[in-house]
C-alpha cells in the first residue's frame, strides 16, 4: 500500500481554498458600502437587512427545512454566525476606531485554534499559532492609528464577536450537514435563524426603520445578495471541505481587502508601514493554510508482488531453426529406432528427457502448474538406446522442424 496525494486532490483543495477566500474579500467591501451608501447609526437594522431577506429567499429557492435535532443546531449556528456576530461586529465598529475593531476581528483564528482543540480534538499546531500572531500583527500595522482610543464595551464586543464567529465555524464542521442537504440550504437556515434573532432587537433598540433612497436600496441589495447570501454559501461550502482552522485564517483577508478597496475606490492613502502590514497579514494567511494542509492520504495502488523466480530468457517461439548441417546432431538422430526410413521430412518428436541448463527455482507458490523450463538448444540430446539394428537413415539438406513447446509462464498475478 502506497501513500500519496494525487494531483487532482491537491488541485481540488487549492480550488476550494481560493473560492472560500472570496468570502472575506467580499466582506471587506461592506465597510465601503456601509459608509458610502447606507443610513448612518443604524447597525442593527443594517444587520437585519443583511440577514433575514437573504435567508428567506434561500429558503424559498431550496424548499428544505431543518428537521429533528437539526432545528436546534440550525438555531445555534444561526445565532453564532449571524444573530450574535452581526450586532457585536457593528457595536464594536461604532464604539471603537475602525482599526481597533479590525484588529480584534483578526483574533478569530486564535479562538478557532483553541476551540478546534476541544471540539474537533485537533492537536495544537505551533505553525498555526505563529501564523495567527503574524496575521494579527500585520492587520494592526494596516488599520491602527497612533491616536486610536480604546473603549471597554467596544473591546469586549469585538472579542465576543470574533469568538462567536470562530465557534460557529468550528461547530459547522463538527456537525456537518444532514444527508441530502447542500450548503445553500444550510446558508438559508442560518441566515433566517440569525435574522429572526436580530429582528426584535432592531425594533426595540432602534425603533422604526429609516426611510430608504435608491442608494440605500442598492447598498442593501449588494450586502444582502453578494455580501451575505453568496459569501456565506461559499464560506459554509469551504468549511465542509477544508479544516475549520484553515478557513478561519482566511478571515485575515477581510481587513486587508477593506484597506485595499479604500485605497482604490475611496482614495484613502496607504503609508509604507501599512503596505508592509498588508504583506505581513497575507504571509500569516498563507502560513496558516500551509500549516493546515491535509496529510497525504493512502491510495489504493498496490505494488506488484516480488516473487524471486530465476527463469532463463526463453527463445522466441516463432523463430525458425537454422538448417541442420552438423554431424554432432545427425549422429544421435541416426540411432533412433522409431523413425521410419520412408518419412525423411516428418517432424521428430523429442521424447527423451532433456537436460536443462538452468532449472527453474520457484521460491513462492503460484496458482499454476509447474512451469516448463525453456529448451536449451546447445545441450546435446541424450541418445536413446536402440532396440534393434536398423538401416541407416539418409538425411538430406532439408530443414527438420522441431516443435518446441512454449514455456508456460508462472501466474504471478495470483500472489498478493
Amino acid at each position: 500500500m502506497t501513500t500519496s496525494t494525487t494531483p487532482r486532490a491537491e488541485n481540488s483543495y487549492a480550488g476550494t481554498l481560493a473560492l472560500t477566500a472570496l468570502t472575506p474579500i467580499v466582506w471587506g467591501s461592506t465597510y465601503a458600502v456601509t459608509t458610502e451608501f447606507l443610513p448612518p447609526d443604524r447597525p442593527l437594522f443594517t444587520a437585519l437587512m443583511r440577514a433575514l431577506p437573504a435567508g428567506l429567499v434561500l429558503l424559498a429557492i431550496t424548499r428544505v427545512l431543518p428537521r429533528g435535532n437539526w432545528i436546534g443546531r440550525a438555531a445555534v449556528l444561526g445565532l453564532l454566525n449571524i444573530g450574535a456576530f452581526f450586532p457585536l461586529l457593528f457595536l464594536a465598529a461604532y464604539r471603537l476606531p475602525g482599526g481597533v475593531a479590525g484588529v480584534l476581528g483578526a483574533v478569530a483564528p486564535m479562538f478557532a485554534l483553541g476551540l478546534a482543540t476541544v471540539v474537533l480534538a485537533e492537536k495544537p499546531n505551533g505553525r498555526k499559532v505563529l501564523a495567527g500572531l503574524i496575521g494579527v500583527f500585520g492587520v494592526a500595522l494596516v488599520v491602527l492609528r497612533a491616536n486610536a482610543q480604546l473603549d471597554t464595551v467596544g473591546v469586549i464586543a469585538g472579542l465576543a464577536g470574533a469568538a462567536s464567529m470562530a465557534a460557529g465555524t468550528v461547530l459547522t464542521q463538527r456537525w456537518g450537514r444532514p444527508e441530502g442537504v447542500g450548503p445553500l440550504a444550510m446558508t438559508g437556515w442560518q441566515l433566517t435563524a440569525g435574522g429572526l434573532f436580530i429582528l426584535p432587537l432592531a425594533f426595540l433598540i432602534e425603533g422604526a426603520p429609516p426611510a430608504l433612497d435608491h442608494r440605500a436600496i442598492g447598498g442593501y441589495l449588494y450586502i444582502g445578495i453578494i455580501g451575505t447570501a453568496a459569501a456565506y454559501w461559499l464560506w459554509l461550502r469551504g468549511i465542509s471541505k477544508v479544516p475549520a482552522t484553515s478557513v478561519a485564517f482566511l478571515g485575515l483577508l477581510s481587513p486587508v481587502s477593506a484597506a485595499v478597496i479604500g485605497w482604490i475606490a475611496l482614495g484613502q492613502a496607504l503609508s509604507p508601514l501599512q503596505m508592509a502590514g498588508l504583506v505581513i497579514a497575507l504571509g500569516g494567511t498563507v502560513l496558516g493554510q500551509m500549516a493546515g494542509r491535509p496529510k497525504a492520504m493512502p491510495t489504493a495502488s498496490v505494488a506488484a508482488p516480488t516473487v524471486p523466480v530465476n527463469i532463463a530468457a526463453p527463445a522466441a517461439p516463432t523463430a525458425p531453426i537454422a538448417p541442420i548441417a552438423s554431424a554432432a546432431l545427425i549422429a544421435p538422430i541416426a540411432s533412433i529406432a522409431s523413425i521410419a526410413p520412408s518419412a525423411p521430412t516428418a517432424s521428430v518428436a523429442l521424447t527423451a528427457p532433456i537436460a536443462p541448463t538452468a532449472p527453474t527455482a520457484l521460491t513462492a507458490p503460484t496458482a499454476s502448474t509447474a512451469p516448463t523450463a525453456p529448451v536449451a538448444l546447445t545441450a546435446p540430446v541424450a541418445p536413446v538406446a536402440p532396440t534393434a539394428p536398423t538401416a541407416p537413415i539418409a538425411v538430406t539438406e532439408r530443414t527438420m522442424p522441431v516443435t518446441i513447446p512454449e514455456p508456460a509462464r508462472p501466474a504471478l498475478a495470483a500472489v498478493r
Side-chain angles (χ1 to χ4, degrees):
M1 182 72 68
T2 60
T3 301
S4 63
T5 302
T6 62
R8 180 177 298 179
E10 292 180 354
N11 294 336
S12 176
Y13 182 82
T16 300
L17 279 178
L19 285 176
T20 310
L22 292 177
T23 295
I25 293 175
V26 171
W27 286 344
S29 67
T30 60
Y31 295 101
V33 173
T34 301
T35 57
E36 297 297 321
F37 295 92
L38 303 184
D41 301 327
R42 304 303 294 264
L44 291 178
F45 179 76
T46 298
L48 175 65
M49 293 298 294
R50 183 179 179 181
L52 189 57
L56 294 176
V57 170
L58 292 182
L59 287 183
I61 293 175
T62 58
R63 297 182 180 182
V64 178
L65 295 176
R67 298 179 180 179
N69 61 349
W70 270 102
I71 297 176
R73 290 182 176 182
V76 172
L77 294 177
L79 176 64
L80 293 173
N81 289 328
I82 309 295
F85 174 66
F86 282 0
L88 291 171
L89 174 67
F90 284 111
L91 178 60
Y94 277 93
R95 302 278 300 196
L96 296 171
V100 178
V103 172
L104 295 177
V107 183
M110 305 300 292
F111 283 117
L113 288 175
L115 291 172
T117 303
V118 178
V119 178
L120 303 178
E122 290 187 4
K123 295 181 179 180
N125 191 319
R127 292 178 62 181
K128 282 192 174 182
V129 174
L130 177 61
L133 296 176
I134 292 175
V136 172
F137 178 69
V139 171
L141 293 179
V142 174
V143 299
L144 281 183
R145 300 293 184 270
N147 58 350
Q149 297 180 356
L150 300 180
D151 176 81
T152 304
V153 176
V155 171
I156 294 175
L159 292 176
S164 177
M165 187 64 178
T169 301
V170 172
L171 284 179
T172 298
Q173 185 164 95
R174 174 67 177 84
W175 288 337
R177 297 195 306 266
E179 184 177 357
V181 176
L184 193 63
M186 284 282 293
T187 305
W189 295 355
Q190 296 189 31
L191 290 177
T192 303
L196 292 176
F197 178 81
I198 299 173
L199 179 62
L201 296 178
F203 281 96
L204 289 174
I205 297 175
E206 297 180 355
L212 303 178
D213 57 11
H214 66 280
R215 289 174 57 85
I217 293 175
Y220 282 127
L221 287 176
Y222 173 80
I223 65 172
I225 299 174
I226 305 299
T228 303
Y232 269 92
W233 170 68
L234 290 175
W235 188 257
L236 296 180
R237 177 183 177 272
I239 294 175
S240 66
K241 299 176 179 293
V242 178
T245 51
S246 297
V247 175
F249 272 97
L250 295 176
L252 295 172
L253 297 176
S254 182
V256 172
S257 171
V260 173
I261 292 175
W263 174 49
I264 296 175
L266 304 180
Q268 298 175 354
L270 289 178
S271 65
L273 187 62
Q274 289 176 305
M275 297 295 291
L278 290 176
V279 176
I280 294 174
L282 290 175
T285 304
V286 173
L287 181 60
Q289 306 311 314
M290 296 176 61
R293 192 175 186 84
K295 296 181 180 180
M297 299 299 293
T299 60
S301 60
V302 180
T306 303
V307 180
V309 179
N310 299 325
I311 302 176
T318 58
I321 302 176
I324 302 174
S326 174
L329 183 59
I330 296 176
I333 297 176
S335 62
I336 301 175
S338 60
I339 302 177
S342 61
T345 60
S347 301
V348 179
L350 300 181
T351 59
I354 302 173
T357 57
T360 303
L362 297 177
T363 60
T366 62
S368 64
T369 58
T372 304
V375 179
L377 297 180
T378 57
V381 180
V384 180
T387 56
T390 58
I393 301 173
V395 180
T396 63
E397 291 289 336
R398 296 182 180 181
T399 301
M400 300 176 63
V402 179
T403 304
I404 303 175
E406 182 180 358
R409 299 179 180 177
L412 300 181
V415 181
R416 288 289 185 267

